[in-house]
Amino acid sequence: MTSVRTSMRWAALAAALLLPPVGAHAQHAGHGQPVPSSPTANQQEEDATAAQSPNAGMDHSQMDHGQHGRPQVDHSQMDHSQHDRPQVDHSQMDHSRMGVLDSPREPIPAVTDADRLAAFPTLKDYHKHGTSLNSFWLMDQLEGANTDEGREIAWEGIGWVGSDINRLWLRTKGHALDENLQRARVEAMYGRAIHPWWDAVVGVRRHFGDFGGGGTPRTWAAFGVQGLAPYKFEVSATGYVAEGGKTAAIVEAEYDMLFTNRLIASWGVEANWFGQSDPAEVIGSGLSTVEGGVRLRYEITRQFAPYIGFEREWSFGETSDLRRLSGHSRTDNRWVVGLRLWF
């Protein structure tokens, strides 16, 4: 028993010599709390037991006890702004479409004939034209000119009375030289609209005058079309048939060129064709004459417009020869001054 006690004393002495100073060990064990400077008996026994443990020689003062059970992490190098969120480049996002509903997933079906029929059904009630009577009268040319043969007065006019579909047309044209009627025609025809811009006409023409000194009045059956061609050309084409198998045709075209709303240049051309020669009328078969000219008018009002112009007439074939034999010029140039009236 004495030997055991002696061994324990020697072990305690050895532990006291090997352990660090009491202040350092007390700071580690009590976390900065003061401990008694002199060991008690129990403390000596604990020291003796600790001296026999495998870790008796370790220096705990150099150990970082805050990392027990966890890997060492350097928080100063971590980007905490990215925690729990994926990185998104907002500069590439179209914020203008935020809040707008996505397009439908199902494609729009193609338009069918049934859809078109439902959108544009066949109308049962068509537009009806007015049935009231209206009228329009235009003296397109009322002019005078000085020619080599004398002072000439010429006119050309047109008018109608009726509805939008059915009308009575009146047309006239002629000229007089030194107060003697040279040639004139008056036409009365029934016209019916066959197109929004065209009328078909049929009626009679009375031709009279004393051109060449042997002319006699003659009545012709007339038929043709008149209207507005593309690019706003006013066109008239009329055929004539008279007793004795005589035939004739006249084609006219006119175009208005606007420089201003009031200053207007009117270009016109007329071609005359006859199926048979008529020396008494100084007319040959085939293309007889072509008249072309321009008239510049100023519309003081829409109903009243003075004008000046130039017109030239050419004769062809037998008509040119007959004119030369009767003492008339083959061609005729005229400067004209006149008025254009309508009401």
Side-chain angles (χ1 to χ4, degrees):
M1 188 66 166
T2 302
S3 60
V4 173
R5 293 181 177 176
T6 302
S7 300
M8 293 178 63
R9 291 178 179 176
W10 283 107
L13 180 60
L17 294 176
L18 295 174
L19 289 175
V22 175
H25 182 73
Q27 183 178 5
H28 169 70
H31 298 282
Q33 299 295 329
V35 297
S37 59
S38 58
T40 61
N42 294 334
Q43 182 66 40
Q44 292 179 356
E45 292 180 0
E46 291 176 2
D47 292 342
T49 305
Q52 297 178 1
S53 65
N55 298 327
M58 296 181 63
D59 185 2
H60 292 272
S61 64
Q62 304 300 322
M63 296 179 64
D64 187 359
H65 296 278
Q67 304 298 329
H68 284 178
R70 291 181 293 175
Q72 185 175 0
V73 179
D74 186 0
H75 289 271
S76 65
Q77 303 299 324
M78 294 180 65
D79 185 4
H80 295 278
S81 63
Q82 306 298 330
H83 282 181
D84 301 328
R85 289 184 295 174
Q87 186 174 1
V88 180
D89 186 4
H90 290 272
S91 63
Q92 305 297 326
M93 295 178 65
D94 185 7
H95 296 280
S96 64
R97 296 187 58 83
M98 295 182 65
V100 179
L101 297 177
D102 294 336
S103 58
R105 297 179 179 275
E106 296 183 3
I108 299 176
V111 179
T112 63
D113 293 339
D115 296 333
R116 296 187 183 94
L117 183 60
F120 304 98
T122 303
L123 299 179
K124 298 180 180 179
D125 295 330
Y126 296 95
H127 174 72
K128 296 180 180 180
H129 294 273
T131 57
S132 60
L133 293 179
N134 300 287
S135 63
F136 174 77
W137 308 96
L138 170 65
M139 182 59 70
D140 195 29
Q141 299 172 15
L142 180 59
E143 59 194 28
N146 291 324
T147 66
D148 296 338
E149 299 177 353
R151 183 181 177 183
E152 183 181 78
I153 302 296
W155 73 89
E156 181 176 355
I158 189 171
W160 59 265
V161 178
S163 64
D164 295 341
I165 301 297
N166 304 298
R167 293 175 179 175
L168 172 64
W169 289 87
L170 300 174
R171 301 191 298 198
T172 180
K173 184 175 182 178
H175 66 275
L177 185 63
D178 293 334
E179 300 181 357
N180 294 320
L181 183 63
Q182 296 293 295
R183 181 170 294 161
R185 68 176 186 260
V186 176
E187 301 175 357
M189 291 181 288
Y190 162 73
R192 182 175 177 83
I194 58 175
H195 186 271
W197 305 104
W198 291 91
D199 288 353
V201 294
V202 59
V204 295
R205 163 186 168 181
R206 182 69 173 176
H207 186 126
F208 50 91
D210 194 23
F211 191 85
T216 57
R218 181 176 289 115
T219 301
W220 305 71
F223 57 92
V225 293
Q226 61 184 18
L228 191 65
Y231 303 101
K232 297 184 178 180
F233 284 90
E234 295 184 11
V235 178
S236 172
T238 311
Y240 304 93
V241 178
E243 55 183 299
K246 296 183 180 296
T247 58
I250 298 177
V251 178
E252 300 176 84
E254 187 175 345
Y255 179 77
D256 285 348
M257 179 185 295
L258 277 70
F259 296 106
T260 68
N261 286 337
R262 296 184 180 273
L263 187 62
I264 303 170
S266 180
W267 301 84
V269 63
E270 176 184 314
N272 292 269
W273 177 89
F274 293 92
Q276 297 179 1
S277 298
D278 190 348
E281 293 284 345
V282 194
I283 293 174
S285 61
L287 181 61
S288 176
T289 59
V290 173
E291 299 178 9
V294 58
R295 291 167 174 81
L296 181 65
R297 70 177 183 268
Y298 182 81
E299 295 185 346
I300 299 175
T301 65
R302 297 302 182 189
Q303 292 82 7
F304 182 83
Y307 65 84
I308 59 173
F310 176 80
E311 188 174 62
R312 182 178 177 88
E313 182 183 45
W314 298 267
S315 59
F316 301 92
E318 293 184 16
T319 301
S320 177
D321 296 336
L322 293 173
R323 285 193 173 188
R324 179 177 57 81
L325 293 175
S326 62
H328 296 280
S329 176
R330 295 184 177 182
T331 60
D332 189 11
N333 300 322
R334 297 185 296 273
W335 287 95
V336 299
V337 178
L339 291 174
R340 183 178 188 267
L341 308 168
W342 67 266
F343 50 91

